[in-house]
Protein backbone atom coordinates (compact mmCIF):
# COMPACT_ATOMS: atom_id res chain seq x y z
CA UNK A 1 0.00 0.00 0.00
CA UNK A 2 2.83 2.39 0.85
CA UNK A 3 4.56 1.62 -2.45
CA UNK A 4 1.31 2.29 -4.31
CA UNK A 5 0.93 5.69 -2.58
CA UNK A 6 4.51 6.64 -3.47
CA UNK A 7 3.96 5.74 -7.13
CA UNK A 8 0.76 7.81 -7.26
CA UNK A 9 2.50 10.79 -5.61
CA UNK A 10 5.40 10.55 -8.04
CA UNK A 11 2.95 10.44 -10.96
CA UNK A 12 1.16 13.58 -9.70
CA UNK A 13 4.50 15.46 -9.41
CA UNK A 14 5.37 14.42 -12.97
CA UNK A 15 2.06 15.81 -14.24
CA UNK A 16 2.47 19.08 -12.35
CA UNK A 17 6.07 19.81 -13.37
CA UNK A 18 5.44 20.77 -17.02
CA UNK A 19 2.66 23.10 -15.94
CA UNK A 20 4.96 24.86 -13.50
CA UNK A 21 7.72 25.05 -16.09
CA UNK A 22 5.29 26.46 -18.64
CA UNK A 23 4.12 29.03 -16.13
CA UNK A 24 7.71 30.05 -15.52
CA UNK A 25 8.30 30.29 -19.25
CA UNK A 26 5.22 32.47 -19.59
CA UNK A 27 6.40 34.72 -16.76
CA UNK A 28 9.82 35.00 -18.36
CA UNK A 29 8.24 35.86 -21.70
CA UNK A 30 6.11 38.58 -20.15
CA UNK A 31 9.12 40.10 -18.40
CA UNK A 32 11.20 40.00 -21.58
CA UNK A 33 8.47 41.62 -23.65
CA UNK A 34 7.94 44.32 -21.06
CA UNK A 35 11.66 45.06 -21.00
CA UNK A 36 11.93 45.31 -24.76
CA UNK A 37 8.89 47.54 -25.08
CA UNK A 38 10.13 49.95 -22.45
CA UNK A 39 13.21 50.74 -24.52
CA UNK A 40 11.62 50.62 -27.96
CA UNK A 41 11.77 54.09 -29.55
CA UNK A 42 8.38 55.73 -29.91
CA UNK A 43 7.41 57.50 -33.09
CA UNK A 44 6.85 61.26 -33.36
CA UNK A 45 3.19 60.46 -33.99
CA UNK A 46 0.51 58.61 -32.07
CA UNK A 47 2.63 56.99 -29.33
CA UNK A 48 4.23 60.28 -28.40
CA UNK A 49 0.87 61.96 -28.72
CA UNK A 50 -0.48 59.61 -26.08
CA UNK A 51 2.27 60.48 -23.60
CA UNK A 52 1.86 64.19 -24.26
CA UNK A 53 -1.92 64.01 -24.03
CA UNK A 54 -1.71 62.28 -20.67
CA UNK A 55 0.68 64.97 -19.49
CA UNK A 56 -1.34 67.99 -20.56
CA UNK A 57 -4.83 66.54 -20.35
CA UNK A 58 -5.59 67.42 -23.97
CA UNK A 59 -5.01 66.10 -27.47
CA UNK A 60 -1.40 66.73 -28.45
CA UNK A 61 -0.72 64.61 -31.51
CA UNK A 62 2.70 65.17 -33.04
CA UNK A 63 3.25 63.68 -36.47
CA UNK A 64 6.21 63.71 -38.82
CA UNK A 65 7.66 67.07 -39.73
CA UNK A 66 6.29 68.79 -42.78
CA UNK A 67 9.15 68.79 -45.31
CA UNK A 68 10.90 72.17 -45.11
CA UNK A 69 10.09 74.68 -47.81
CA UNK A 70 12.47 77.37 -48.95
CA UNK A 71 15.90 78.19 -47.65
CA UNK A 72 18.06 76.82 -44.87
CA UNK A 73 20.84 78.00 -42.56
CA UNK A 74 24.11 76.13 -42.20
CA UNK A 75 26.11 75.87 -39.00
CA UNK A 76 29.57 77.01 -40.17
CA UNK A 77 31.33 74.87 -37.56
CA UNK A 78 29.77 71.56 -38.69
CA UNK A 79 28.21 72.17 -42.13
CA UNK A 80 24.89 70.86 -40.72
CA UNK A 81 21.87 72.64 -42.17
CA UNK A 82 18.63 73.71 -40.49
CA UNK A 83 15.38 74.76 -42.21
CA UNK A 84 14.58 78.42 -41.58
CA UNK A 85 10.95 77.46 -41.05
CA UNK A 86 9.92 74.37 -39.08
CA UNK A 87 6.40 72.98 -39.15
CA UNK A 88 5.26 70.08 -36.97
CA UNK A 89 1.83 68.58 -37.57
CA UNK A 90 -0.40 68.22 -34.53
CA UNK A 91 -4.07 67.72 -33.70
CA UNK A 92 -3.54 70.58 -31.28
CA UNK A 93 -2.36 73.23 -33.76
CA UNK A 94 1.23 74.32 -33.40
CA UNK A 95 2.66 77.44 -35.01
CA UNK A 96 5.21 77.61 -37.77
CA UNK A 97 8.52 77.98 -35.96
CA UNK A 98 11.16 80.44 -37.10
CA UNK A 99 14.85 79.61 -36.81
CA UNK A 100 16.34 82.17 -34.42
CA UNK A 101 19.94 80.91 -34.36
CA UNK A 102 22.31 77.97 -34.77
CA UNK A 103 25.55 76.93 -33.10
CA UNK A 104 27.79 74.05 -32.12
CA UNK A 105 27.99 72.44 -28.70
CA UNK A 106 31.52 71.36 -27.80
CA UNK A 107 33.22 69.57 -24.93
CA UNK A 108 35.21 72.53 -23.69
CA UNK A 109 38.34 70.84 -22.38
CA UNK A 110 39.15 69.13 -25.69
CA UNK A 111 37.07 71.14 -28.14
CA UNK A 112 35.23 68.06 -29.41
CA UNK A 113 32.16 68.97 -31.44
CA UNK A 114 29.20 67.09 -29.94
CA UNK A 115 26.20 68.46 -31.81
CA UNK A 116 24.83 71.41 -33.72
CA UNK A 117 21.73 73.00 -32.28
CA UNK A 118 19.04 75.18 -33.78
CA UNK A 119 16.77 77.33 -31.64
CA UNK A 120 13.26 77.89 -33.04
CA UNK A 121 10.48 80.09 -31.67
CA UNK A 122 7.04 81.35 -32.60
CA UNK A 123 8.20 84.89 -33.37
CA UNK A 124 4.83 85.75 -34.96
CA UNK A 125 3.02 85.14 -31.68
CA UNK A 126 0.86 88.19 -30.82
CA UNK A 127 1.61 87.59 -27.14
CA UNK A 128 5.20 88.65 -27.74
CA UNK A 129 5.26 92.30 -26.75
CA UNK A 130 8.70 93.56 -25.82
CA UNK A 131 10.69 96.66 -26.53
CA UNK A 132 13.30 96.57 -29.28
CA UNK A 133 15.71 98.21 -26.82
CA UNK A 134 15.43 95.34 -24.29
CA UNK A 135 18.54 93.31 -23.57
CA UNK A 136 19.17 89.94 -25.22
CA UNK A 137 18.48 88.14 -21.92
CA UNK A 138 15.19 90.02 -21.50
CA UNK A 139 14.10 89.18 -25.04
CA UNK A 140 15.00 85.49 -24.66
CA UNK A 141 13.23 85.22 -21.31
CA UNK A 142 10.13 86.91 -22.77
CA UNK A 143 10.07 84.64 -25.83
CA UNK A 144 10.52 81.42 -23.84
CA UNK A 145 7.91 82.40 -21.24
CA UNK A 146 5.27 83.47 -23.75
CA UNK A 147 5.55 81.23 -26.81
CA UNK A 148 6.22 77.71 -28.01
CA UNK A 149 9.86 76.91 -28.77
CA UNK A 150 11.86 74.05 -30.27
CA UNK A 151 15.47 73.01 -29.79
CA UNK A 152 16.66 70.84 -32.70
CA UNK A 153 19.80 68.87 -31.83
CA UNK A 154 21.85 67.28 -34.62
CA UNK A 155 24.75 65.04 -33.46
CA UNK A 156 27.98 65.59 -35.38
CA UNK A 157 28.90 61.94 -34.88
CA UNK A 158 27.10 58.78 -33.79
CA UNK A 159 26.30 58.93 -30.10
CA UNK A 160 23.62 57.61 -27.74
CA UNK A 161 20.53 58.97 -26.07
CA UNK A 162 22.16 58.18 -22.74
CA UNK A 163 25.15 60.38 -23.54
CA UNK A 164 22.90 63.32 -24.42
CA UNK A 165 20.76 62.66 -21.33
CA UNK A 166 23.78 62.94 -19.04
CA UNK A 167 24.62 66.34 -20.49
CA UNK A 168 21.01 67.52 -20.13
CA UNK A 169 20.83 66.36 -16.52
CA UNK A 170 24.09 68.07 -15.54
CA UNK A 171 22.92 71.31 -17.13
CA UNK A 172 19.55 71.18 -15.33
CA UNK A 173 21.21 70.42 -11.99
CA UNK A 174 23.51 73.43 -12.38
CA UNK A 175 20.52 75.53 -13.41
CA UNK A 176 18.66 74.46 -10.29
CA UNK A 177 21.55 75.49 -8.04
CA UNK A 178 21.92 78.79 -9.87
CA UNK A 179 18.20 79.62 -9.62
CA UNK A 180 18.17 78.70 -5.94
CA UNK A 181 21.10 81.04 -5.27
CA UNK A 182 19.48 83.80 -7.33
CA UNK A 183 16.22 83.38 -5.42
CA UNK A 184 14.14 82.51 -8.49
CA UNK A 185 13.44 78.92 -7.42
CA UNK A 186 11.23 78.69 -4.36
CA UNK A 187 11.34 75.67 -2.00
CA UNK A 188 7.84 74.76 -3.20
CA UNK A 189 8.91 74.82 -6.86
CA UNK A 190 12.03 72.81 -6.08
CA UNK A 191 9.97 70.16 -4.32
CA UNK A 192 7.44 70.04 -7.16
CA UNK A 193 10.12 69.58 -9.84
CA UNK A 194 11.72 66.48 -8.31
CA UNK A 195 9.27 63.93 -9.73
CA UNK A 196 9.19 65.46 -13.25
CA UNK A 197 13.00 65.64 -13.12
CA UNK A 198 13.23 61.90 -12.41
CA UNK A 199 10.74 61.16 -15.18
CA UNK A 200 12.70 63.27 -17.65
CA UNK A 201 15.88 61.41 -16.74
CA UNK A 202 14.21 58.01 -17.17
CA UNK A 203 12.87 58.79 -20.67
CA UNK A 204 16.25 58.41 -22.37
CA UNK A 205 17.27 54.82 -23.25
CA UNK A 206 20.87 53.69 -23.66
CA UNK A 207 20.42 53.13 -27.36
CA UNK A 208 22.35 54.64 -30.30
CA UNK A 209 21.52 57.94 -31.96
CA UNK A 210 23.14 58.04 -35.36
CA UNK A 211 25.05 60.95 -36.85
CA UNK A 212 22.92 63.84 -38.17
CA UNK A 213 19.67 62.35 -36.78
CA UNK A 214 17.54 65.24 -35.48
CA UNK A 215 16.37 65.18 -31.88
CA UNK A 216 13.62 67.77 -31.44
CA UNK A 217 12.67 69.05 -28.01
CA UNK A 218 9.43 71.04 -27.97
CA UNK A 219 8.34 73.49 -25.28
CA UNK A 220 4.56 73.75 -25.56
CA UNK A 221 2.92 77.19 -25.56
CA UNK A 222 1.50 78.60 -22.32
CA UNK A 223 -2.08 77.60 -21.65
CA UNK A 224 -4.26 78.96 -18.86
CA UNK A 225 -4.61 76.50 -16.01
CA UNK A 226 -2.05 74.05 -17.42
CA UNK A 227 1.58 73.38 -16.60
CA UNK A 228 3.79 73.62 -19.67
CA UNK A 229 5.17 70.43 -21.19
CA UNK A 230 8.55 69.47 -22.59
CA UNK A 231 8.09 66.94 -25.40
CA UNK A 232 11.17 64.98 -26.53
CA UNK A 233 10.83 63.51 -29.97
CA UNK A 234 10.50 59.68 -29.99
CA UNK A 235 10.84 59.46 -26.21
CA UNK A 236 7.96 61.06 -24.34
CA UNK A 237 6.87 64.15 -22.43
CA UNK A 238 7.17 65.66 -18.99
CA UNK A 239 4.94 68.34 -17.53
CA UNK A 240 6.31 71.00 -15.18
CA UNK A 241 6.53 74.74 -15.69
CA UNK A 242 9.97 75.16 -14.19
CA UNK A 243 11.64 72.19 -15.88
CA UNK A 244 10.11 72.88 -19.30
CA UNK A 245 10.98 76.58 -19.28
CA UNK A 246 14.38 76.40 -17.65
CA UNK A 247 15.58 73.55 -19.87
CA UNK A 248 15.41 75.96 -22.80
CA UNK A 249 16.77 78.97 -20.90
CA UNK A 250 19.73 76.89 -19.71
CA UNK A 251 21.18 77.11 -23.21
CA UNK A 252 21.46 80.89 -22.92
CA UNK A 253 22.73 81.44 -19.38
CA UNK A 254 26.00 83.38 -19.30
CA UNK A 255 27.96 82.59 -22.44
CA UNK A 256 25.49 79.77 -23.13
CA UNK A 257 26.00 76.03 -23.41
CA UNK A 258 26.86 76.86 -27.01
CA UNK A 259 28.42 80.34 -27.24
CA UNK A 260 28.09 80.34 -31.05
CA UNK A 261 24.35 79.64 -30.68
CA UNK A 262 23.90 82.55 -28.29
CA UNK A 263 25.88 84.85 -30.60
CA UNK A 264 23.75 83.78 -33.57
CA UNK A 265 20.54 84.33 -31.59
CA UNK A 266 21.79 87.76 -30.45
CA UNK A 267 22.26 88.85 -34.06
CA UNK A 268 18.80 87.66 -35.03
CA UNK A 269 17.04 89.31 -32.07
CA UNK A 270 18.92 92.60 -32.21
CA UNK A 271 16.12 94.20 -34.21
CA UNK A 272 13.31 92.12 -32.69
CA UNK A 273 10.69 93.97 -30.66
CA UNK A 274 8.42 96.99 -30.86
Amino acid sequence: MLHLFQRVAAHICTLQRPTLTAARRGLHTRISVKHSVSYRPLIWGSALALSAAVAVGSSVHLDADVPPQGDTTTDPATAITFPNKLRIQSKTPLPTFTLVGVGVRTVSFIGLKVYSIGFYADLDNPNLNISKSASLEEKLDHIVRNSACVLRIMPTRSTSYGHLRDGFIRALQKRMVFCRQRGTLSPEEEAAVQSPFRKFKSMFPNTPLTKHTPLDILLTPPEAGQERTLVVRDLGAVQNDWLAREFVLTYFEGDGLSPPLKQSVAQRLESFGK
Side-chain angles (χ1 to χ4, degrees), residues 18-29:
T19 303
L20 180 60
T21 302
R24 287 174 177 166
R25 282 200 304 268
L27 177 60
H28 177 73
T29 300

Side-chain angles (χ1 to χ4, degrees), residues 217-235:
I217 303 177
L218 165 71
L219 170 63
T220 60
E223 184 179 349
Q226 293 283 355
E227 296 257 358
R228 297 180 76 181
T229 301
L230 199 67
V231 184
V232 184
R233 180 174 182 166
D234 295 338
L235 301 181

Side-chain angles (χ1 to χ4, degrees), residues 91-102:
K91 285 184 177 179
T92 299
L94 291 173
T96 296
F97 295 97
T98 300
L99 182 64
V100 185
V102 301

Side-chain angles (χ1 to χ4, degrees), residues 6-261:
Q6 290 173 336
R7 287 198 299 273
V8 171
H11 180 65
I12 292 173
C13 290
T14 302
L15 291 176
Q16 289 177 335
R17 189 174 298 115
T19 303
L20 180 60
T21 302
R24 287 174 177 166
R25 282 200 304 268
L27 177 60
H28 177 73
T29 300
R30 288 193 296 273
I31 293 173
S32 299
V33 170
K34 181 179 180 182
H35 177 78
S36 64
V37 168
S38 64
Y39 289 98
R40 181 180 301 161
L42 302 178
I43 60 173
W44 190 228
S46 58
L48 182 52
L50 177 61
S51 64
V54 170
V56 301
S58 61
S59 177
V60 178
H61 183 93
L62 302 179
D63 292 317
D65 302 353
V66 176
Q69 303 291 327
D71 57 347
T72 61
T73 295
T74 301
D75 181 355
T78 63
I80 293 175
T81 60
F82 294 83
N84 287 336
K85 294 292 184 179
L86 181 64
R87 294 183 291 277
I88 300 174
Q89 292 180 337
S90 171
K91 285 184 177 179
T92 299
L94 291 173
T96 296
F97 295 97
T98 300
L99 182 64
V100 185
V102 301
V104 64
R105 170 77 167 129
T106 62
V107 178
S108 58
F109 60 92
I110 57 175
L112 178 68
K113 298 173 183 177
V114 181
Y115 55 79
S116 283
I117 181 167
F119 172 58
Y120 292 83
D122 177 17
L123 294 185
D124 297 323
N125 191 327
N127 294 326
L128 296 181
N129 184 13
I130 193 167
S131 171
K132 188 179 295 186
S133 62
S135 69
L136 172 62
E137 284 70 22
E138 289 172 333
K139 290 181 179 181
L140 280 167
D141 186 78
H142 183 77
I143 289 170
V144 172
R145 289 180 181 274
N146 293 281
S147 71
C149 302
V150 174
L151 292 171
R152 167 164 285 190
I153 292 171
M154 300 279 285
T156 60
R157 62 190 66 217
S158 293
T159 182
S160 69
Y161 287 103
H163 179 71
L164 293 179
R165 173 203 60 212
D166 293 344
F168 296 155
I169 295 302
R170 286 193 298 268
L172 277 171
Q173 289 172 332
K174 290 180 181 179
R175 183 72 176 175
M176 195 174 294
V177 172
F178 178 79
C179 289
R180 189 188 307 125
Q181 293 172 344
R182 182 185 275 179
T184 57
L185 176 64
S186 69
E188 293 77 17
E189 286 178 314
E190 187 170 0
V193 80
Q194 296 306 313
S195 178
F197 185 85
R198 289 190 295 270
K199 179 180 178 182
F200 178 74
K201 184 177 181 180
S202 69
M203 289 193 316
F204 294 84
N206 291 314
T207 53
L209 181 63
T210 57
K211 177 181 178 180
H212 295 178
T213 299
L215 177 65
D216 290 341
I217 303 177
L218 165 71
L219 170 63
T220 60
E223 184 179 349
Q226 293 283 355
E227 296 257 358
R228 297 180 76 181
T229 301
L230 199 67
V231 184
V232 184
R233 180 174 182 166
D234 295 338
L235 301 181
V238 60
Q239 185 181 30
N240 177 267
D241 276 338
W242 188 91
L243 190 151
R245 179 186 68 244
E246 298 299 328
F247 179 86
V248 177
L249 288 175
T250 294
Y251 273 87
F252 304 104
E253 182 64 42
D255 291 334
L257 294 180
S258 166
L261 171 66

